[in-house]
DNA sequence: GTGAAAGCGCTAACAA
DNA sequence: TTGTTAGCGCTTTCAC
């Protein structure tokens, strides 16, 4: 099998077939003064010719002419993994909002091994009209982007220099503390992330504050890897008789919480009797997980939708709020 | 917050700053005979100017000039849902292969409510260089695409008119039958899909054939919805005393199998004692599911990777095989 | 009502 | 070694 390369008909072809000039055809097909300028008869000849040839406008030429591709980009500072429910939810949200606005969605990969300048060039070379970014903290790329002509909206992890759409991280932590305190927990683990997501920091800080206010002791730990498996430090904390280890663990993200649940099963720690577990994200997957996690539900799909709406507003030259915060809610499962 | 619209520097700007002509700058920066044609000194002046201005080539202009955007498209005939492990795996595979080839990935949405011609125009307007398609059967769009200049590779559900990358559906069914027969099952359900995926048909047919050869009775059913929930017909079949209903169910896809497992739990049917369950896909999710499904593992990621490789070959004018088939394997879990 | 000219940003082929 | 011309496909402004 080999590619057929017939070459799509151009407007010139349509004009020739209709016996008019290129620009007459252009106006007849899509011009602003189509009705005033071109006679009805000419117009129909052109339309018929276009139909006969199966003409449709060339997106590349339009993009150059209009300085706009009608493509929205998605870039994640982390290697994107569509199996991650957060990422999946964002993708779904972006699709959902792009369709009615007649935008397409370009998902960038991880640009592994490329310098910030190179990545920046790939993002800002005009391939996309605007960017939804899941930022990784402290990357030089952020600076490139901040001074750029490319409109950017950051999601999940807000950034002061960018229009940001986030969820109420602190509020989520307070809900978690309230819930755990209500069940009598006095000494709890807080599993933060491996990197320094600003959202994770916010969640941790708020958790510690709320816990202090509730007279609860907090031990902050980091998981052993990106998937949330136990670090040696954590193993040491949990591999002691049930009465001596924390009675609950709050995790910065569901992924981390599920990994902890798996670890508990391996180690013979009963959940929630010996250890209650709370997550953060609350995205429902299509396949039911082993445990019904107690978690803070964050509306990531709506975050994605709003991000694009703001991007379009920016593209339209409108003012938009620097930060948009979506509320979260506690969802009680069987792990607390 | 409002968009900063500084406008990126053009090559003209670079040339002016370097005191040379546009095309000299062009050649110096990226021309084929850069070293032979432009003096080292001029070249350095141009490079310096480019650097100073933060110049990078405009992708829109390049696309028009080169008649190529370096973007690969993904289109699914079904509404894409990134939470679906199959879809997620395909997306990951596409990313994985696009990165080293310096291609970007454009994910089209569902074009809800648009005619085949409109959808075709959106796909073939030159925005993308080639298309990876998850085809839905019997759609007029297929005909548009078949006669198109746009290179297309169909995945998962092969199509005779297109370069296709699929998995060994029939072989998978035979593995499932062999496995079930080996465990003494005589009367089994086969849950096919709601639509007429060609892959589902192939799986069903092969299952029936292999079952017949093994002296096994097969009852084919359809689920009640796209998520695989039980249809009334199926409920009737299963809501009888354990001794009287089929002892095993093979499902055309894991999603369907997981839904069946959920239904069994609701109905109090013990798996695998009263009903053994086999799936098809075998994609490992990031969150462990409630049950470890016995399934046929299909390498969807590799399918996606190969699809792009074939697409690039087509774009390079090479001949490629019409159909590529990847092998599958049986993965035994705790549901049989 | 229609055509001509100009230009979006870039590069291959041809001159000088 | 450098500059000029032409053109990718389209649309906006201006002249006829």
């Amino acid at each position: 099998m080999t590619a057929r390369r017939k070459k799509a008909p151009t407007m010139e072809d349509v004009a020739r077939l209709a016996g008019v000039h290129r620009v007459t055809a252009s106006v007849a097909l899509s011009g602003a003064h189509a009705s005033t300028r071109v006679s009805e008869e000419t117009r129909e000849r052109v339309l018929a010719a276009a139909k006969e040839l199966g003409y449709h406008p060339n997106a590349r030429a339009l993009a150059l002419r209009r300085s706009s591709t009608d493509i929205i980009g998605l870039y994640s500072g982390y290697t994107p993994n569509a199996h991650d429910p957060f990422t999946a939810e964002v993708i779904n949200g972006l699709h959902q909002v792009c369709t009615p606005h007649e935008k397409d969605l370009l998902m960038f990969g991880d640009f592994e091994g490329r310098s910030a300048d190179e990545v920046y060039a790939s993002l800002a070379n005009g391939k996309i009209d605007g960017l939804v970014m899941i930022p990784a903290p402290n990357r030089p790329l952020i600076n490139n982007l901040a001074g750029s002509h490319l409109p950017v909206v950051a999601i999940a992890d807000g950034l002061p220099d960018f229009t940001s759409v986030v969820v109420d991280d602190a509020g989520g932590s307070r809900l978690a503390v309230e819930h755990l305190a209500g069940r009598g927990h006095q000494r709890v683990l807080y599993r933060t992330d491996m990197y320094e997501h600003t959202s994770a920091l916010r969640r941790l800080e708020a958790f510690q504050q709320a816990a202090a206010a509730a007279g609860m002791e907090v031990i902050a730990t980091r998981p052993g890897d990106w998937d949330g498996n136990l670090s040696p430090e954590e193993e040491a904390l949990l591999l002691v008789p049930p009465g001596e280890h924390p009675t609950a663990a709050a995790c910065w993200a569901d992924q981390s919480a599920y990994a902890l649940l798996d670890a508990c099963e391996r180690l013979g720690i009963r959940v929630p009797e010996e250890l209650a577990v709370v997550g953060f994200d609350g995205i429902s997957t299509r396949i039911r997980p082993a445990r019904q996690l107690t978690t803070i539900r964050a509306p990531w799909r709506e975050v994605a939708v709003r991000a694009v709406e703001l991007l379009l507003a920016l593209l339209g030259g409108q003012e938009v709020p620097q930060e948009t915060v979506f509320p979260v809610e506690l969802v009680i499962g069987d792990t607390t």
Side-chain angles (χ1 to χ4, degrees), chain A:
Chain A
M1 262 201 145
T2 176
R4 338 154 185 67
R5 309 199 124 282
K6 231 179 10 195
K7 217 163 140 278
T10 154
M11 197 141 66
E12 186 72 56
D13 299 328
V14 174
R16 189 165 31 235
L17 181 59
V20 297
H21 194 239
R22 309 209 315 264
V23 51
T24 309
S26 170
V27 173
L29 287 170
S30 52
H33 352 274
S35 56
T36 73
R37 187 178 138 79
V38 177
S39 77
E40 189 53 30
E41 190 222 325
T42 312
R43 205 178 120 76
E44 283 181 5
R45 268 218 321 286
V46 172
L47 254 42
K51 185 157 208 174
E52 184 178 336
L53 295 174
Y55 170 80
H56 49 91
N58 180 308
R60 291 187 299 264
L62 282 180
L64 180 57
R65 185 68 243 254
R66 305 217 260 249
S67 303
S68 145
T69 56
D70 287 339
I71 298 176
I72 300 294
L74 171 64
Y75 170 74
S76 170
Y78 310 93
T79 300
N81 181 351
H83 285 301
D84 178 356
F86 164 78
T87 305
E89 193 73 358
V90 168
I91 293 174
N92 283 353
L94 293 178
H95 264 140
Q96 173 189 324
V97 67
C98 279
T99 301
H101 291 290
E102 312 237 343
K103 303 294 176 199
D104 293 312
L105 177 63
L106 185 64
M107 286 187 56
F108 291 100
D110 56 7
F111 294 112
E112 197 187 348
R114 309 209 162 274
S115 74
D117 284 345
E118 287 171 319
V119 175
Y120 173 69
S122 300
L123 297 175
N125 61 12
K127 209 168 250 188
I128 58 174
D129 290 346
L131 184 69
V132 174
M133 169 172 62
I134 301 167
N138 309 323
R139 298 285 175 80
L141 174 63
I142 302 286
N143 299 324
N144 288 303
L145 249 17
S148 163
H149 58 279
L150 178 73
V152 177
V153 174
I155 63 173
D157 292 303
L159 245 29
D161 290 343
F162 296 85
T163 303
S164 301
V165 184
V166 299
V167 301
D168 185 4
D169 294 301
S173 282
R174 287 192 293 269
L175 286 174
V177 167
E178 197 179 311
H179 176 68
L180 291 176
R183 306 233 163 166
H185 294 280
Q186 313 264 1
R187 186 155 171 262
V188 307
L189 211 63
Y190 192 93
R191 304 191 83 206
T192 188
D193 69 329
M194 289 208 57
Y195 308 97
E196 308 222 301
H197 285 86
T198 57
S199 58
L201 289 179
R202 288 193 198 180
R203 289 173 205 172
L204 171 59
E205 277 176 23
F207 194 92
Q208 288 172 318
Q209 276 186 18
M216 190 186 275
E217 181 192 348
V218 177
I219 307 163
T221 66
R222 271 175 207 282
D225 59 30
W226 163 252
D227 269 337
N229 291 310
L230 254 50
S231 60
E233 162 200 26
E234 291 174 320
E235 290 221 352
L237 261 167
L238 292 174
L239 275 181
V240 294
E244 299 172 24
H245 67 58
T247 59
C251 306
W252 86 280
D254 280 357
Q255 184 60 44
S256 176
Y258 283 116
L260 177 59
L261 289 175
D262 285 352
C264 286
E265 199 170 315
R266 266 199 320 278
L267 301 175
I269 298 171
R270 288 177 304 138
V271 174
E273 294 82 358
E274 296 173 8
L275 189 75
V277 175
V278 182
F280 198 116
D281 273 344
I283 299 163
S284 50
T285 55
R286 292 194 76 200
I287 296 174
R288 193 167 54 88
R291 297 294 299 259
Q292 203 62 36
L293 185 67
T294 293
T295 188
I296 306 299
R297 173 163 303 154
W300 293 121
R301 171 188 288 258
E302 293 167 45
V303 166
V305 168
R306 178 66 60 86
V308 171
E309 288 168 351
L310 293 177
L311 211 40
L312 296 179
L314 284 173
L315 287 168
Q318 295 172 41
E319 284 278 330
V320 303
Q322 192 273 320
E323 186 173 74
T324 304
V325 182
F326 278 87
V328 297
E329 58 175 348
L330 175 70
V331 179
I332 299 178
D334 59 24
T335 60
T336 54

